[in-house]
Amino acid sequence: MHPPVHPSSLVRRAGTWLAGAALALALAGCSSSGRKPAPMPLEPVAALVPARQVWTQALGPVDALMVPAVHGASVALVNAAGTVTVLDGESGRVRWRAESGAPMAAGVGFDGRRAAVVTRDNDLVVLTEGGERWRQRLPARTFTPPFVAGERVFVLGGDRSVVAFDAATGARLWSQTSRGTEPLVLRQAGVLGAVGNTLVVGIGGRLVGLDPDTGRIQWDATIGRSRSANEIERLVDLVGRVGRDRDVLCARAFQSAIGCVDAQRGRVLWTQPADGTTGVQADAERVYGVESNGRVIALRREDGVRAWANERLLYRGLSAPLAVGRSLAVGDAQGHVHLLSRADGSFLNRLPTDGSPIVDGPLLVGNTLLAVTRNGGVFAWRPE
């Protein structure tokens, strides 16, 4: 049985927070005990892959939905208060900083010049080094960072709609309304990005390719399907991050499946049942993910058959993984970044931060490994 889903991670499509005894009972029924298992104690780890800390920065507290964005040698970050900071990935130097003027709901999207965020007032705000350029009120609550590319800003709404804006002026270009009927959506970053000239969006359990100029659907590939008539078990939203190997995209459907899709043809290559809540990473040989209990797994990229599993980080609140060199980096809720072997899952190193949870997961900027913590610390290492 799946672990209980916390009510704060779910919203109704109309935007009302879920509440009430009926939901509480439904969630409580998923577990025979209200206690969370204790995190597995950490074992000593030899630094088989040395990593030297090269810089740190402080942002101020960061919410779980404040997902950083990397573009070239820069990384854009936003704190919960709405301050956007763009850092040089190699040195940690602040390139520029701008204020959105409001607490954040989701962010950040970044194309190297413009940063886009969504406020709790439901405003899409686009900023540059010179400050705010424009803002637009969105039609639906948003939990996924905007995507900025091709002189446009794309937004995936909590109602599973997609809206495109002109990046320079804020003019609305087109919108695509979801045909999904599921009443619940995750309060969690979903899938929104591009492969070539195709905008790729997670809509329910489907990975959908859209024409970025018109919003027309080019292909539609199902990764996860509803499991029952129960509202919570029908929830199959795709979650960020997405693993990519050339034109193959691999994604996770919340607590139901992992699958890979040929993004040129929109063809599903395979799906496998998988119980997890965070995104995946992929290379030419494997797809990497974390299950709900903290088991780190690698699946063969060609067919989804399990290649290895590491069960020594159970119940540690692991983040989405990142492939870097011969390592797989994954953060935990205690502020560690663990480096595992991509070949067999064995430990290669462990990197400390400030003790607060790693947000979203580690990042790679050039040859610098970054981690952002819930307390707002940005930590950078250079693996050797």
Side-chain angles (χ1 to χ4, degrees):
M1 179 171 286
H2 298 295
V5 181
H6 195 276
S8 66
S9 69
L10 303 172
V11 295
R12 290 199 180 277
R13 295 186 68 180
T16 304
W17 290 102
L18 288 173
L23 176 67
L25 288 172
L27 296 175
C30 293
S31 174
S32 59
S33 170
R35 297 179 182 176
K36 291 179 63 176
M40 180 168 284
L42 295 178
E43 304 171 10
V45 172
L48 301 179
V49 173
R52 175 174 56 92
Q53 185 170 316
V54 290
W55 57 262
T56 63
Q57 277 282 4
L59 300 176
V62 176
D63 187 83
L65 295 173
M66 311 294 98
V67 178
V70 175
H71 188 279
S74 299
V75 58
L77 310 105
V78 62
N79 63 19
T83 302
V84 172
T85 303
V86 177
L87 302 176
D88 177 83
E90 182 174 355
S91 67
R93 176 179 61 86
V94 176
R95 291 184 181 270
W96 56 268
R97 186 174 277 136
E99 299 289 342
S100 70
M104 287 291 95
V108 56
F110 184 55
D111 68 353
R113 289 187 298 150
R114 302 180 183 94
V117 296
V118 180
T119 72
R120 291 184 191 169
D121 293 331
N122 226 38
D123 286 335
L124 170 65
V125 184
V126 170
L127 306 114
T128 66
E129 187 171 359
E132 181 180 323
R133 291 305 180 192
W134 54 266
R135 68 175 59 208
Q136 286 277 16
R137 181 59 55 91
L138 296 172
R141 297 186 66 181
T142 300
F143 311 109
T144 300
F147 178 59
V148 187
E151 297 300 313
R152 281 156 290 189
V153 180
F154 302 96
V155 177
L156 172 62
D159 61 353
R160 301 189 178 98
S161 64
V162 185
V163 185
F165 298 88
D166 184 287
T169 67
R172 183 164 167 161
L173 301 176
W174 56 260
S175 63
Q176 173 68 245
T177 302
S178 168
R179 59 182 172 85
T181 59
E182 299 88 349
L184 302 183
V185 295
L186 283 174
R187 188 183 180 273
Q188 182 172 331
V191 175
L192 180 62
V195 175
N197 196 38
T198 300
L199 182 69
V200 179
V201 186
I203 299 178
R206 299 147 40 222
L207 199 60
V208 180
L210 303 178
D211 183 329
D213 296 325
T214 65
R216 181 179 62 86
I217 295 177
Q218 297 178 326
W219 50 261
D220 192 327
T222 298
I223 291 177
R225 299 183 184 275
S226 299
R227 291 159 286 162
S228 75
N230 177 285
E231 280 192 348
I232 293 172
E233 291 194 352
R234 282 168 52 191
L235 188 65
V236 290
D237 282 323
L238 301 188
V239 299
R241 309 172 177 181
V242 171
R244 180 177 178 182
D245 173 39
R246 292 169 291 186
D247 292 332
V248 174
L249 294 181
C250 302
R252 179 190 295 281
F254 181 79
Q255 288 191 339
S256 63
I258 292 174
C260 289
V261 172
D262 181 334
Q264 285 294 320
R265 300 175 176 83
R267 180 172 62 91
V268 177
L269 302 177
W270 56 263
T271 64
Q272 290 284 1
D275 180 9
T277 62
T278 59
V280 299
Q281 183 86 148
D283 58 28
E285 297 182 359
R286 300 180 184 89
V287 180
Y288 308 94
V290 174
E291 297 186 334
S292 294
N293 64 358
R295 181 185 295 113
V296 185
I297 61 172
L299 309 177
R300 293 194 323 208
R301 231 275 285 128
E302 61 181 348
D303 54 16
V305 173
R306 182 171 294 188
W308 56 255
N310 181 317
E311 299 190 350
R312 294 160 67 188
L313 295 171
L314 298 183
Y315 311 113
R316 299 197 63 85
L318 299 187
S319 73
L322 171 76
V324 49
R326 63 188 179 99
S327 304
L328 188 71
V330 60
D332 71 17
Q334 296 75 36
H336 302 94
V337 175
H338 306 271
L339 300 185
L340 310 181
S341 167
R342 287 162 71 173
D344 59 13
S346 59
F347 285 103
L348 300 177
N349 204 342
R350 181 181 301 131
L351 310 173
T353 61
D354 59 15
S356 64
I358 304 298
V359 175
D360 185 54
L363 301 162
L364 190 64
V365 187
N367 62 348
T368 303
L369 177 66
L370 263 61
V372 181
T373 71
R374 191 68 58 85
N375 285 348
V378 186
F379 295 81
W381 303 269
R382 203 145 297 142
E384 299 178 5

